[in-house]
Amino acid sequence: MGNIKFGVLLFLSACSFINAETFTFPNSFIFGAATASYQIEGAWNVDGKLPSIWDTATHRQPSNDVFDGLTGDEAALSYYYWQKDIEALKNANLTMYRFSIAWTRVLTKNQQVNQKGIDYYNTLINDLIAEGITPMVTLYHWDLPQYLQDIGGWMNSEIVKYYEVYADLVFKSFGDRVKIFITFNEPSVFCDHGHNYAEHAPHIWTYDSVGGILCSHHVLLSHARAYRLYQEKYLAAQNGKVGICLNTGFSYRGNGSVPQDTVERAIQFYFGRYTNPIFSETGDYPQVMRDAIDQKSKQQGRSFSRLPTFTAEEVQMLKGSADFLALNYYSSGMVYPISFDPTIDPVHHDSEVAGFSDPDWKVARSSWLYQVPQGLYDLLNWIRTKYNNPDVYISENGWSDAPLTIEDHDRIEYMRLHLAAISKAITDGCNVLGITVWSLVDNFEWMRGYDERFGIYAIDLNDPDRNRTPKKSVSYLRNVTNSRTVEAENDEIFVVKVYPMPAE
Ligand code: PNW
C-alpha cells in the first residue's frame, strides 16, 4: 500500500517536473519596485506642502468615503522614513525604484519653488544612487494641487501651462541624476474615475463622459508639451528618457458569438485613446473612437462632438512623444457587444462594449483583480505588433491581500506567473526592459484605504516607527533576481477560455 502511494507521488511529481518550464531573463532586464507620493509619504502639510485633491477628499468632515475611513496621513511615512524604503529595496536585491513627486511639495500657489520639497527629493535621489538603485520618477500620480482643482483642474485647458511649469522644475532640479521620467500615471483611471463617475478625487460626476474626455485631452497635451520641453531644453545636457504610464487589461471574446472587432474596440477605447496619439504612425485618437463619439454626439442633437479635436500641429506634437511605454498591468477581462443606451454607465455606451470576469479565475482581495497572466503576454505582443515594438517597462504589476499577510503565497504565485509571461513575451521579441512591482511597501490604496495590501513589505499602522517587515515574497524576489529564472507551467499562464469563431 505504502509503496503504491509512494509510486503515485513519484509519478505525480515527475509529471509536474515534466510540465514545468524554466523562464529566463536577459542580464539587462531590471527588477525594481514602485510607490506613489500620496500613498506612502504622509506629512501632508509639512515644510510648505500644499493640500492636494486627495488631502481634500480624505479630510472631508464629518467623515470621508474611504472604505475604512482612513487617510494618507498615516501611510508608511516615507517623508520621514525614506531610508527604510532604500534598505527594503536593497534587502530585496532590487535595483530600480519608481516613486512619484508630489507637485504640492515643490511649487507654491504663485508658481515659485518650495525649496524644502526639492531638498526632500534630492536627498532621496542621492541616497538611492549611492546604493546603486536607479530612480524612475513619475511626475503625476493623481495628487493635483487643490488650488488647480479650484479652477477646473484637468478639465480646464489652462492646466497645460501649469503642468509645463511643474515639469520644467522637475527636469531642471533632478534631471542631472534622474534619467527616466514618467509624465503621468494611468490617465484612464484618474480621468474616468475622477471626472465621469466620482469614484476618485476630485469626485466629479459629469453627464455623458464629458469630464473624463476633457481630462484625457488635456493630459495628452500636457504630456506632449513636457516631452517636447525636455527634448528642446534638457536632452542634450541630461540625456534622459521621458515616457508615459498607461494601464490596461487585455480583452477576450466573452462568448462564442462575440466578433473579434468587439475585442479591438474595447482595447482602443480604453488604451488606444492614449497610445494611438503617442505611439501609432497615424497619430490622433483611434478612428473607431472618433467616429463613434462624433456620431453619438450628433444623434443627441449636439452642435459639436463631445470629443475635442487636436489641431494638425498638436497631432504632430503628440506623435512619437515618448521614449518608452510604462505599462501597468494587473488583470484582464471578457467582453461582449452592447447597444448604445445613454442612460447606462457612460464608459460603455460610447464603445458599445461591456465586460465581465470569468468566475474560474483566481481573485485577489481587490474585487477587480483576477489572476490572468496570459493577458500580460497577449497585451505585450499586441503592443509589439501594433506600435512597432516600443521599449516597455512594466511599471506596475501586483497582488492584494489582507493586512499583515506575511506568508503571502498568493502574491508569490502571481509574481511567478506574470514574470513567466513577461519572459515568454521577451522570447517572442517584445522589448521589455524591466519591471517595478507594485508595491514596495503596504500603502494607502485610495478609496479602499488600508484594507487591500499590495506591499512586498508589511506596514503595521500601530507601529510608530513604521518598520518595513519583509513578507515571504521578498525572499522569493531575491531568488528570482539571483537566478534570473522562474518556473511555471503553461496551463498556469494560459487560463483564458478560448471560444471558436462563428462559422462564416
Ligand atoms: C493602480 N482597475 O491603480 C495605481 O497606479 C496605484 O496607485 C494603485 O495603488 C494600484 O494600481 C492598485 O490598485 C489601479 O480597476 C486602480 O483596473 C484600479 C485598476 C487598475 C489600476
Side-chain angles (χ1 to χ4, degrees):
M1 204 45 202
N3 267 345
I4 294 176
K5 253 194 206 155
F6 183 69
V8 168
L9 263 182
L10 205 66
F11 175 72
L12 286 177
S13 56
C15 283
S16 65
F17 180 72
I18 289 165
N19 290 335
E21 207 177 301
T22 302
F23 294 88
T24 60
F25 292 90
N27 285 333
S28 57
F29 189 88
I30 301 169
F31 293 92
T35 61
S37 47
Y38 184 74
Q39 294 178 277
I40 63 161
E41 285 179 359
W44 74 276
N45 58 357
V46 172
D47 291 340
K49 181 184 168 296
L50 296 170
S52 79
I53 54 175
W54 275 96
D55 293 310
T56 306
T58 57
H59 291 160
R60 215 168 57 206
Q61 294 301 331
S63 68
N64 64 27
D65 290 335
V66 176
F67 179 72
D68 51 15
L70 296 176
T71 74
D73 301 1
E74 296 83 22
L77 301 182
S78 294
Y79 191 69
Y80 305 107
Y81 296 136
W82 79 93
Q83 283 157 324
K84 298 189 186 202
D85 293 335
I86 296 176
E87 269 312 305
L89 287 157
K90 268 171 55 185
N91 178 52
N93 207 10
L94 299 172
T95 56
M96 185 175 273
Y97 184 39
R98 174 181 178 228
F99 64 93
S100 80
I101 291 178
W103 190 338
T104 50
R105 280 197 201 283
V106 296
L107 275 174
T108 69
K109 285 187 192 178
N110 286 324
Q111 308 299 286
Q112 302 302 303
V113 178
N114 180 37
Q115 192 55 42
K116 286 194 171 154
I118 299 285
D119 292 346
Y120 168 68
Y121 294 110
N122 268 333
T123 308
L124 171 61
I125 290 163
N126 292 341
D127 289 359
L128 284 167
I129 291 172
E131 295 296 346
I133 300 166
T134 305
M136 173 189 249
V137 167
T138 309
L139 277 72
Y140 185 78
H141 201 121
W142 306 359
D143 42 357
L144 187 72
Q146 180 60 43
Y147 65 85
L148 291 179
Q149 189 58 51
D150 294 341
I151 56 165
W154 294 110
M155 297 183 293
N156 180 347
S157 59
E158 286 292 295
I159 192 101
V160 180
K161 292 191 221 158
Y162 285 92
Y163 184 81
E164 193 172 2
V165 168
Y166 168 55
D168 195 5
L169 174 65
V170 171
F171 297 151
K172 182 168 77 196
S173 306
F174 310 120
D176 57 333
R177 288 149 295 150
V178 174
K179 302 301 168 189
I180 312 176
F181 288 108
I182 294 172
T183 54
F184 286 94
N185 179 70
E186 299 189 348
S188 55
V189 175
F190 75 81
C191 286
D192 290 355
H193 293 242
H195 306 78
N196 284 346
Y197 37 88
E199 265 177 15
H200 276 186
H203 289 95
I204 288 169
W205 180 281
T206 57
Y207 178 68
D208 217 8
S209 304
V210 171
I213 287 173
L214 287 176
C215 171
S216 291
H217 196 75
H218 298 138
V219 163
L220 278 164
L221 290 172
S222 302
H223 159 81
R225 285 272 279 271
Y227 182 84
R228 299 298 166 200
L229 173 76
Y230 188 88
Q231 302 306 299
E232 284 150 25
K233 206 166 159 187
Y234 297 104
L235 180 65
Q238 299 185 353
N239 202 25
K241 302 215 182 286
V242 179
I244 186 166
C245 168
L246 304 172
N247 69 294
T248 190
F250 202 67
S251 296
Y252 295 94
R253 297 171 60 232
N255 65 55
S257 58
V258 173
Q260 185 56 31
D261 158 72
T262 304
V263 166
E264 194 68 15
R265 283 176 82 84
I267 303 174
Q268 289 297 349
F269 270 81
Y270 193 80
F271 191 54
R273 63 178 144 159
Y274 305 106
T275 49
N276 209 75
I278 297 173
F279 292 96
S280 78
E281 263 166 33
T282 49
D284 212 332
Y285 288 118
Q287 197 62 44
V288 278
M289 182 175 171
R290 176 88 266 161
D291 292 346
I293 301 181
D294 286 358
Q295 188 214 330
K296 272 154 194 168
S297 302
K298 204 178 263 175
Q299 264 175 28
Q300 294 169 322
R302 291 169 179 264
S303 50
F304 58 90
S305 176
R306 284 180 285 114
L307 183 65
T309 38
F310 291 119
T311 64
E313 208 176 87
E314 288 169 342
V315 170
Q316 287 312 314
M317 173 173 77
L318 270 156
K319 222 171 21 163
S321 65
D323 302 317
F324 61 90
L325 168 66
L327 181 68
N328 288 1
Y329 177 86
Y330 286 90
S331 199
S332 285
M334 312 288 278
V335 295
Y336 59 97
I338 52 168
S339 52
F340 175 56
D341 174 355
T343 61
I344 62 163
D345 162 6
V347 199
H348 299 126
H349 71 182
D350 278 332
S351 64
E352 301 191 18
V353 176
F356 66 98
S357 306
D358 186 331
D360 287 344
W361 293 338
K362 182 170 155 188
V363 67
R365 189 161 175 93
S366 308
S367 60
W368 52 270
L369 208 182
Y370 289 82
Q371 179 169 289
V372 195
Q374 178 177 355
L376 178 53
Y377 171 76
D378 286 334
L379 177 62
L380 285 169
N381 274 302
W382 188 90
I383 291 166
R384 173 172 66 83
T385 47
K386 208 70 165 191
Y387 303 125
N388 192 27
N389 206 3
D391 282 350
V392 174
Y393 286 100
I394 307 298
S395 38
E396 283 180 35
N397 177 244
W399 184 257
S400 59
D401 50 18
L404 307 179
T405 308
I406 304 298
E407 299 278 310
D408 55 342
H409 300 285
D410 290 338
R411 176 169 296 103
I412 291 171
E413 180 181 273
Y414 182 92
M415 291 197 313
R416 179 172 65 80
L417 298 180
H418 286 77
L419 287 169
I422 293 167
S423 163
K424 203 169 164 62
I426 293 174
T427 308
D428 292 350
C430 297
N431 284 327
V432 189
L433 308 183
I435 183 172
T436 50
V437 298
W438 188 268
S439 178
L440 179 63
V441 292
D442 282 344
N443 56 54
F444 179 76
E445 177 55 14
W446 309 111
M447 297 312 284
R448 304 305 297 170
Y450 297 92
D451 186 61
E452 297 168 11
R453 301 289 182 100
F454 279 89
I456 55 172
Y457 285 85
I459 303 271
D460 182 350
L461 293 176
N462 293 316
D463 170 11
D465 298 331
R466 296 294 190 275
N467 286 318
R468 278 78 169 134
T469 305
K471 301 183 188 176
K472 208 158 179 211
S473 50
V474 169
S475 48
Y476 176 73
L477 262 182
R478 224 186 280 128
N479 288 340
V480 172
T481 53
N482 283 332
S483 68
R484 307 192 75 80
T485 62
V486 294
E487 304 270 326
E489 294 180 27
N490 272 298
D491 288 358
E492 297 179 287
I493 302 169
F494 292 93
V495 296
V496 179
K497 199 167 192 167
V498 182
Y499 293 100
M501 289 299 281
E504 295 283 297

